[in-house]
Amino acid sequence: MADEQKPGGSDSPLPGGGGAIPKPAPPKPAAPAPPKPPAVMSATEWTGDLAREMKDRFSADIVATSTYLGQNFAVVTPGAVVPVLEFLKLEADFDYLVDITAVDWPKRAERFDLVYVVYSFFRNERMRLKTQIPDGFQPRSGVGVHLTANWLEREIFDMFGITFAGHPDLRRILMPDGWQGYPLRKDYGILQQDDRWVRENLGIESGQ
């Protein structure tokens, strides 16, 4: 007959008139994998000739000499930064100051890392100097050793509020002159940064 159902169909009645067989529920999707923890920087001791020369010359001002993925760096006391930069330039051929940057660790007593990146064309080699300073400390300007420190230190001042003692023209270089605060300090979220300047000069609320 035309209205008869074929055996085995999805709507086949259960024995005894129990109605259609329900379809099984689809399986639940697998839970997402937990995020991987951040990689730990596993530096090893740097024991090259230059590391030994720096330790001989500056003694306790060289806190550590390490290497990571072929990149050498030295951790130095704040007062030793400029003398070490001068030594590297005049006696080790690291005559190009590539960059100066900073990192804000607000819960640490020495709140800021200062990182100087220098390069030697003669050696075709790059290395870094690192130091730690507390909030309010004024590191000595490196402009007397590398003229490019002028603009790089202004950027650090503009972003982190770190004042370099002896800088010839320390003022903002990226943010407007009327901007309040320092964008890369971890004092507040990005939406709380100078709402007044944004409203007055852009006519919008911060974060729009």
Side-chain angles (χ1 to χ4, degrees), residues 79-139:
V81 168
V82 172
V84 173
L85 284 173
E86 189 171 27
F87 164 78
L88 290 172
K89 178 181 179 180
L90 299 179
E91 301 186 39
D93 297 310
F94 285 88
D95 50 0
Y96 174 34
L97 178 61
V98 180
D99 198 9
I100 308 173
T101 189
V103 184
D104 184 8
W105 302 90
K107 296 182 180 180
R108 197 177 68 186
E110 292 78 17
R111 177 170 177 168
F112 297 102
D113 285 345
L114 279 177
V115 185
Y116 298 73
V117 184
V118 291
Y119 179 77
S120 168
F121 290 96
F122 178 79
R123 297 169 178 258
N124 188 25
E125 184 179 341
R126 182 188 308 262
M127 71 164 292
R128 292 165 176 80
L129 289 183
K130 298 183 179 182
T131 194
Q132 297 179 353
I133 61 172
D135 194 8
F137 181 85
Q138 296 188 9

Side-chain angles (χ1 to χ4, degrees), residues 49-106:
D49 292 340
L50 181 56
R52 287 192 292 271
E53 290 177 26
M54 293 170 62
K55 290 178 179 178
D56 291 343
R57 176 69 66 90
F58 298 100
S59 187
D61 284 325
I62 305 299
V63 179
T65 54
S66 304
T67 186
Y68 179 68
L69 298 178
Q71 298 289 312
N72 301 324
F73 63 93
V75 181
V76 305
T77 59
V81 168
V82 172
V84 173
L85 284 173
E86 189 171 27
F87 164 78
L88 290 172
K89 178 181 179 180
L90 299 179
E91 301 186 39
D93 297 310
F94 285 88
D95 50 0
Y96 174 34
L97 178 61
V98 180
D99 198 9
I100 308 173
T101 189
V103 184
D104 184 8
W105 302 90

Side-chain angles (χ1 to χ4, degrees), residues 174-196:
L174 298 176
M175 303 304 294
D177 289 336
W179 188 270
Q180 300 295 316
Y182 305 98
L184 293 186
R185 289 175 66 110
K186 297 176 182 176
D187 294 326
Y188 38 70
I190 190 171
L191 298 184
Q192 285 73 49
Q193 295 196 26
D194 207 348
D195 296 333
R196 178 193 58 79

